[in-house]
Amino acid sequence: MSLVVQKFGGTSVANSEKILSAARKAVRAHQHGHQVVMVVSAMGKNTDTLVALAAEINEKPPAREMDMLLSTGEQVSVALMAMAIDSLGYKAVSLTGGQIGIKTDSSHTKARIQSISTDRMKELLDEGNIVIAAGFQGIDEQFNITTLGRGGSDTTAVALAAVLGADQCEIYTDVDGIYTTDPRVLPEACLVPRVCYDEMLELASLGAGVMHSRSIEFGKKFNVPIHVRSSLSDAAGSLIVDDADTAGLVVSGAALTRDEAMISVMDVPDVPGTIHKIFAPIAAKKITVDMIVQNVSDDDTTSISFTVPRDEADETVAVIADVVKELGGTLAPANIDVSKVSAVGLGMAHEAGVANRMFRALANADINLEIITTSEIKISVLVDRGNALDALRTIHGEFTLDKLESDGKENESFVPAPREISAVDVIERLQVIGMEALTIDDIELDDTQARITICKIPNRPGLAASLFEDIAKQGVFVDMIVQSFNNEQIADITFTVKRDQLQEAISVAEKAKETYGCEKIDYKERIAKLSVSGIGMRSHTGVAMGSFEALAEAGINVEMISTSEVRVNVVVDGDDANRGLECLQQKFAAELES
Ligand code: ADP
Ligand code: ASP
Ligand code: MG
């Protein structure tokens, strides 16, 4: 018998009428012969209301009590939903996270799922019940109630679909599906009928709030097709599936993280271990760091900037203050007036010139870029908060994301391919690795590249655009790009190219030096790019950290870093290529095996 998981978000259960309408959807699926598990969020804005209420009483409420409070929202919804199903003449049983047996770690307010027991749910389903599970919550070893982080009901839904071996996970929400960007921010956004897990992982973690990014980790790990659709209409919606089933657009979406903060650490020793010392205390607080850029050192010191979510800026500064002092460096006040705008697309990995198109469009809109980072399938730029919306619209328009014309009709006939992983395998795998434990697929060495840095160039709109346009004209394929930021008007731009195209790239850099006046061109003919790839690389802060630690212990200096949800890339000196690879393989041996 087939099984579907249907998740209903806050707006889709905001009042009794909507609860009844959601109940009817579940009953319909049940009538069609499916077993149905519903996952339900708190009604409407109930979670926000509870957060505000807590803040009125205590500025810094204890995290354990916060979870106790927030979990009540979902408890209300599941009970009402069970009553709704009963009123339609069908059997239903509501369960809290604890009653299902969703075991998590003890990181209150951002707990990760460790295991889920399926026995009780299966028994209830076999008895003909619709099972109604509270989203977003679990319990830890000591039976404390935990929550999975805001938006976490999506993660509950996909996790249940994975362990139950469901044929599909349907996410019912208040939009028709996945759009090229948040349609409430840009009304010209278009529906994307299919995105692949990797694209959605990036989009979700870069600000597309439609899905909790950890839910996509489950989808990818356990190959669960996710169908995002409207609870208000019967529109065909969007599918999040394996990349083989998508069109592989060059850019398939744009995302905005409005509230970022940039932290800059200046004049720390440019020696192995510095990066690890700075990021270890941040990772220990489970703060997710993004856009890490490092200046090429003039003398024997270097400066490092990175971004963190704005509301975690103060904590970040506090936890690294001592280390920075010990290292003899200085910590600039956090810049909390910045936003991150990103373009994501699977096709980008193979098509040259995507970055310079994006930079040119932004330059034409007179938007200055503070920091640039790229990885295989995304380009992110950091801009002034005041320019964020303009930047998003510019990028969205440049890649004609406002002109996609599908209504997703083709999804109506989508038949999910047989799951490669059976439910039994899932359970077995989970016993070995734990549900949200880190999964690493591969550790690779790319020993074919060279690095070029244009040091201390005046940072003004159009600079990156002209530079990378000229490079593209020479037919040179640029892999990693990092623009770091020295002070108000000065930037360093570092990028990597294939070693046999180094000369062409240097001649373009020399031309830029003449045109703009920079301090010097620095290059290294042989660098090694080490990549750790898997799932949830950025949100598992431990991967970047483990890599920095292992390299520091081996006395290997880190020259460039880029992180994404599916990969952590670290550039080291070419002479350290094989040693670097070996020490990462050793470090992650256990995760690689499982
Ligand atoms: P739910 O309560 O159903 O979980 P959310 O508010 O968490 O709903 O997510 C749906 C919202 O996500 C939409 O109303 C929309 O404003 C926002 N959103 C952000 N990015 C996107 C995107 N790329 N596509 C669709 N919706 C998006
Ligand atoms: N109710 C929780 C929240 O608002 C979880 C969810 O809706 O996904 O964040
Ligand atoms: Mg949500």
Side-chain angles (χ1 to χ4, degrees):
M1 198 179 207
S2 67
L3 194 156
V4 289
V5 173
Q6 298 186 328
K7 180 251 169 182
F8 292 86
T11 11
S12 309
V13 292
N15 53 39
S16 50
E17 206 179 299
K18 287 188 171 162
I19 291 178
L20 280 161
S21 147
R24 279 192 286 273
K25 280 203 196 292
V27 164
R28 220 175 300 143
H30 186 82
Q31 288 169 336
H32 283 130
H34 302 293
Q35 291 189 324
V36 183
V37 174
M38 295 177 90
V39 174
V40 193
S41 289
M43 293 172 70
K45 301 249 171 262
N46 192 4
T47 311
D48 291 334
T49 310
L50 293 172
V51 170
L53 188 60
E56 280 176 26
I57 288 178
N58 186 334
E59 243 177 61
K60 278 196 164 175
R64 180 189 181 280
E65 304 312 328
M66 206 60 198
D67 279 353
M68 184 67 105
L69 177 69
L70 296 190
S71 66
T72 60
E74 270 68 15
Q75 201 172 323
V76 170
S77 314
V78 286
L80 293 173
M81 189 62 78
M83 293 175 196
I85 304 246
D86 179 77
S87 77
L88 298 172
Y90 287 80
K91 293 203 303 181
V93 175
S94 65
L95 297 172
T96 63
Q99 287 172 329
I100 298 168
I102 299 185
K103 289 260 166 61
T104 71
D105 63 19
S106 302
S107 318
H108 284 290
T109 75
K110 36 177 142 171
R112 281 180 179 271
I113 300 176
Q114 288 174 334
S115 66
I116 299 178
S117 46
T118 53
D119 298 352
R120 185 159 183 194
M121 282 186 291
K122 280 193 176 144
E123 229 167 76
L124 290 167
L125 289 168
D126 289 343
E127 287 165 8
N129 290 288
I130 292 176
V131 169
I132 302 164
F136 170 62
Q137 54 177 266
I139 46 164
D140 73 0
E141 282 279 299
Q142 277 80 43
F143 302 100
N144 295 302
I145 296 177
T146 54
T147 65
L148 309 180
R150 295 304 306 271
S153 294
D154 299 326
T155 294
T156 307
V158 185
L160 291 183
V163 289
L164 291 166
D167 300 271
Q168 235 193 94
C169 183
E170 296 182 325
I171 305 284
Y172 287 97
T173 183
D174 58 2
V175 274
D176 278 349
I178 310 284
Y179 279 70
T180 47
T181 196
D182 188 342
R184 287 180 217 284
V185 176
L186 294 191
E188 67 267 36
C190 295
L191 184 89
V192 190
R194 288 192 189 181
V195 287
C196 69
Y197 296 123
D198 285 353
E199 288 171 317
M200 197 62 224
L201 264 172
E202 290 297 345
L203 286 168
S205 84
L206 293 168
V210 62
M211 291 295 293
H212 196 231
S213 73
R214 281 158 50 197
S215 68
I216 316 297
E217 294 181 24
F218 275 110
K220 180 173 173 178
K221 245 189 224 174
F222 301 111
N223 201 13
V224 184
I226 302 170
H227 195 164
V228 181
R229 50 198 315 188
S230 167
S231 60
L232 311 165
S233 75
D234 285 322
S238 305
L239 286 166
I240 308 171
V241 283
D242 210 60
D243 52 2
D245 288 326
T246 62
L249 296 176
V250 171
V251 173
S252 58
L256 166 65
T257 317
R258 207 184 288 269
D259 298 323
E260 284 282 277
M262 180 170 78
I263 315 277
S264 299
V265 176
M266 265 102 60
D267 306 320
V268 285
D270 188 23
V271 293
T274 296
I275 294 213
H276 177 240
K277 281 186 191 138
I278 294 171
F279 290 112
I282 303 175
K285 293 278 177 198
K286 295 208 159 72
I287 296 172
T288 310
V289 169
D290 194 26
M291 299 191 84
I292 305 173
V293 298
Q294 196 181 351
N295 289 328
V296 167
S297 51
D298 300 326
D299 32 50
D300 41 11
T301 65
T302 182
S303 297
I304 298 162
S305 302
F306 55 91
T307 61
V308 294
R310 188 184 191 192
D311 57 6
E312 294 183 303
D314 288 346
E315 194 180 359
T316 307
V317 168
V319 296
I320 60 172
D322 287 345
V323 178
V324 174
K325 209 191 245 168
E326 245 168 63
L327 290 167
T330 48
L331 191 53
N335 180 352
I336 54 167
D337 269 326
V338 283
S339 302
K340 176 168 65 184
V341 189
S342 312
V344 172
L346 204 58
M348 209 183 272
H350 311 289
E351 181 148 328
V354 183
N356 58 279
R357 249 178 94 185
M358 175 161 154
F359 300 154
R360 171 55 63 205
L362 290 166
N364 289 346
D366 214 18
I367 294 168
N368 203 31
L369 313 180
E370 304 271 7
I371 290 185
I372 300 170
T373 55
T374 65
S375 80
E376 284 67 15
I377 65 163
K378 67 127 206 259
I379 303 167
S380 295
V381 295
L382 197 70
V383 301
D384 273 350
R385 258 165 84 83
N387 286 333
L389 190 59
D390 264 358
L392 180 71
R393 178 161 274 135
T394 301
I395 293 169
H396 193 262
E398 173 61 30
F399 294 103
T400 59
L401 297 180
D402 48 346
K403 302 206 165 56
L404 301 186
E405 272 173 3
S406 169
D407 57 4
K409 272 260 179 296
E410 68 267 33
N411 290 338
E412 281 170 359
S413 55
F414 174 76
V415 183
R419 300 265 307 273
E420 276 166 32
I421 311 169
S422 73
V424 179
D425 290 345
V426 170
I427 304 287
E428 271 176 12
R429 242 174 94 179
L430 292 178
Q431 279 162 353
V432 184
I433 59 170
M435 287 217 76
E436 286 200 79
L438 179 62
T439 320
I440 292 178
D441 300 331
D442 210 356
I443 298 181
E444 284 165 303
L445 162 67
D446 175 352
D447 191 11
T448 62
Q449 298 201 44
R451 168 186 66 76
I452 301 175
T453 303
I454 303 176
C455 304
K456 302 217 166 109
I457 191 161
N459 181 17
R460 56 172 182 257
L463 180 75
S466 308
L467 177 68
F468 290 106
E469 270 166 4
D470 288 348
I471 288 178
K473 270 188 219 141
Q474 297 289 318
V476 175
F477 187 84
V478 176
D479 182 18
M480 285 169 80
I481 300 174
V482 157
Q483 173 183 299
S484 67
F485 156 95
N486 269 308
N487 57 39
E488 268 97 274
Q489 304 299 330
I490 307 280
D492 284 350
I493 301 183
T494 300
F495 54 97
T496 67
V497 298
K498 288 277 176 225
R499 201 167 297 136
D500 57 13
Q501 294 191 309
L502 176 64
Q503 283 318 318
E504 286 96 325
I506 290 177
S507 64
V508 176
E510 291 290 352
K511 206 182 108 202
K513 182 178 170 184
E514 268 165 41
T515 319
Y516 299 102
C518 73
E519 197 176 275
K520 65 171 180 190
I521 310 282
D522 184 83
Y523 66 89
K524 196 174 253 185
E525 201 168 339
R526 182 160 176 240
I527 52 147
K529 176 176 155 192
L530 299 164
S531 310
V532 183
S533 53
I535 303 172
M537 295 289 106
R538 186 168 37 210
S539 54
H540 280 274
T541 42
V543 185
M545 203 46 46
S547 309
F548 301 156
E549 187 178 18
L551 294 168
E553 277 166 10
I556 296 172
N557 204 21
V558 172
E559 300 188 5
M560 265 172 108
I561 300 159
S562 82
T563 57
S564 71
E565 281 300 310
V566 292
R567 217 180 258 258
V568 170
N569 295 311
V570 176
V571 169
V572 302
D573 191 284
D575 288 344
D576 294 326
N578 293 318
R579 231 159 41 84
L581 179 65
E582 279 161 25
C583 80
L584 292 186
Q585 281 167 338
Q586 263 169 23
K587 178 82 192 173
F588 297 112
E591 287 84 357
L592 262 174
E593 267 170 28
S594 58

